[in-house]
């Protein structure tokens, strides 16, 4: 079942490409300001969460700074960890929404259909058609890094960024079970 996110316009568009370039260029200064090792490893995700929690005291403060340089580069960094280590790809709605939605509208990282074995994809599509009721099928990763960072930066949620890593690893393992 093809969705807009699977189309080429979501994979390569000026809005996404510009956002990625701006964050990539700002990353060296972000690293210097933040200190520590930022090597795009899966282990660094826990360090990123700690940095966020020490920076924002509550969800309102995180929301106020959602488009600031620290938060934007942090979102890019988190997404890049998933891209570099877990095979996800960047996607973004090509046209900026007229008003910012409560969630979404920012670049996301995604387990693209073309990277999923055909049999696994058939099972995912069948499960989606019935409303995602099959508990034997893992969560299909579509991650809005900016939203996940805001949610975890305040400690107001019961999960951690490393839980996202584990979920993606589970999905990749499940997909690899369909490879010959």
């Amino acid at each position: 079942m093809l969705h807009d996110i699977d189309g080429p316009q979501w994979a390569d568009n000026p809005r996404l490409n510009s956002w990625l370039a701006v964050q990539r260029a700002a990353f060296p200064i972000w690293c210097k300001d933040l200190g520590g090792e930022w090597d795009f490893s899966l282990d660094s995700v826990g360090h990123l969460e700690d940095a966020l929690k020490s920076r924002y005291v509550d969800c309102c403060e995180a929301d106020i700074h959602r488009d600031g340089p620290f938060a934007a580069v942090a979102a890019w960094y988190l997404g890049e960890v998933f891209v570099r280590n877990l095979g996800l790809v960047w996607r973004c709605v090509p046209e900026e929404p007229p008003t910012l939605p409560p969630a979404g509208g920012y670049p996301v990282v995604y387990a693209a259909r073309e990277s999923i074995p055909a049999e696994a994809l058939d099972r995912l599509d069948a499960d989606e058609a019935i409303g995602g009721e099959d508990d034997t099928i893992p969560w299909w990763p579509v991650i809005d890094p900016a939203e996940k960072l805001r949610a975890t930066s305040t400690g107001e949620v019961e999960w951690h960024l490393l839980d996202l890593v584990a979920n993606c690893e589970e999905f990749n393992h499940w997909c690899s079970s369909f490879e010959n």
Side-chain angles (χ1 to χ4, degrees):
M1 194 176 301
L2 192 61
H3 299 289
D4 288 347
I5 196 169
D6 298 306
Q9 66 276 15
W10 277 60
D12 184 16
N13 63 69
R15 187 165 178 247
L16 174 61
N17 297 338
S18 173
W19 187 86
L20 292 172
V22 167
Q23 308 326 314
R24 191 178 305 115
F27 179 64
I29 294 168
W30 184 88
C31 287
K32 184 179 177 192
D33 290 347
L34 200 54
E37 288 292 317
W38 298 100
D39 59 2
F40 299 97
S41 68
L42 294 175
D43 290 337
S44 70
V45 171
H47 185 54
L48 179 62
E49 184 172 335
D50 292 341
L52 287 160
K53 286 180 179 177
S54 70
R55 190 171 198 97
Y56 302 122
V57 295
D58 61 29
C59 194
C60 290
E61 185 180 1
D63 278 343
I64 288 168
H65 297 286
R66 70 192 288 162
D67 293 317
F70 173 80
V73 175
W76 171 81
Y77 180 85
L78 179 61
E80 280 295 302
V81 168
F82 287 96
V83 167
R84 295 177 187 203
N85 295 284
L86 296 166
L88 303 187
V89 295
W90 283 105
R91 295 288 195 260
C92 187
V93 61
E95 301 294 325
E96 187 152 357
T99 58
L100 188 62
Y106 287 94
V108 299
V109 288
Y110 171 63
R113 294 179 71 81
E114 64 264 14
S115 68
I116 300 171
E119 189 178 341
L121 196 54
D122 289 344
R123 293 220 23 223
L124 288 164
D125 286 342
D127 186 50
E128 181 181 8
I130 62 167
E133 298 296 322
D134 187 344
D135 292 338
T136 65
I137 296 177
W139 166 74
W140 188 342
V142 179
I143 301 168
D144 177 340
E147 180 60 31
K148 295 303 181 194
L149 291 176
R150 282 191 301 282
T152 59
S153 65
T154 61
E156 295 175 5
V157 294
E158 294 180 16
W159 50 268
H160 300 277
L161 294 177
L162 285 171
D163 295 332
L164 288 175
V165 169
N167 290 342
C168 287
E169 289 176 325
E170 177 188 5
F171 181 81
N172 286 346
H173 179 72
W174 180 81
C175 285
S176 68
S177 72
F178 292 91
E179 296 172 350
N180 294 342

